[in-house]
Amino acid sequence: MNDHSSLPAAGPVPVLRLGDVLLVTLQGDLYDNTAQRLQQDLSETIAASRVTGVVIDISGVEIVDSFLGRVLAEIAAQASLLAAQTVVAGMRPAVAITLVELGLTLPGLRTALNTEAAMDLLTRPAPTPRSGGNRQESP
């Protein structure tokens, strides 16, 4: 089937703002042009709105390949440079296994079982590893 007009991921990926957090829900495959547009939209939105976090819900994604892994890592890196944290939510066990098998560590990304847990992660302070010393967290 070569009818690209019926592909669900062909249009823009919706980005919702919930307070200081942007919520992105990925459904199905993410293609090159859609991924580039998402990265640009997120960067512009983070810079313009000064949000502090990004939640990427991938519960609707069946397969994560090296392309999507790289896109997620690049989004996290861009968000971090703009002072926002990124959390990936809803990763299926098969997806986690695939990421490990591909050797993708996804630096800069934190994970949560679902969107609610991701929002909780972003609203509480997180330890920031710094070179030159360890930071103690109070209980």
Side-chain angles (χ1 to χ4, degrees):
M1 195 164 146
N2 291 332
D3 181 14
H4 293 287
S5 63
S6 64
L7 294 173
V13 176
V15 177
L16 304 174
R17 183 171 180 178
L18 304 172
D20 289 334
V21 176
L22 297 178
L23 174 63
V24 179
T25 302
L26 299 182
Q27 298 289 327
D29 293 333
L30 194 64
Y31 299 100
D32 288 4
N33 58 343
T34 309
Q36 286 178 329
R37 186 171 178 179
L38 174 62
Q39 287 175 307
Q40 183 175 348
D41 289 350
L42 278 175
S43 293
E44 289 172 2
T45 304
I46 292 167
S49 61
R50 299 185 182 178
V51 295
T52 57
V54 177
V55 174
I56 304 173
D57 182 352
I58 63 168
S59 60
V61 176
E62 296 285 334
I63 297 170
V64 173
D65 57 9
S66 59
F67 170 73
L68 183 55
R70 183 176 47 93
V71 168
L72 293 173
E74 287 175 2
I75 288 171
Q78 289 172 353
S80 178
L81 289 172
L82 296 169
Q85 298 177 37
T86 303
V87 179
V88 172
M91 187 178 300
R92 298 169 189 242
V95 169
I97 291 167
T98 301
L99 289 176
V100 170
E101 288 173 349
L102 290 172
L104 297 175
T105 57
L106 303 180
L109 277 178
R110 293 162 63 193
T111 58
L113 292 176
N114 56 42
T115 303
E116 183 179 351
M119 295 294 286
D120 288 344
L121 271 176
L122 290 173
T123 56
R124 70 172 191 241
T128 306
R130 303 256 184 229
S131 58
N134 293 330
R135 183 173 132 185
Q136 295 269 184
E137 290 292 317
S138 57

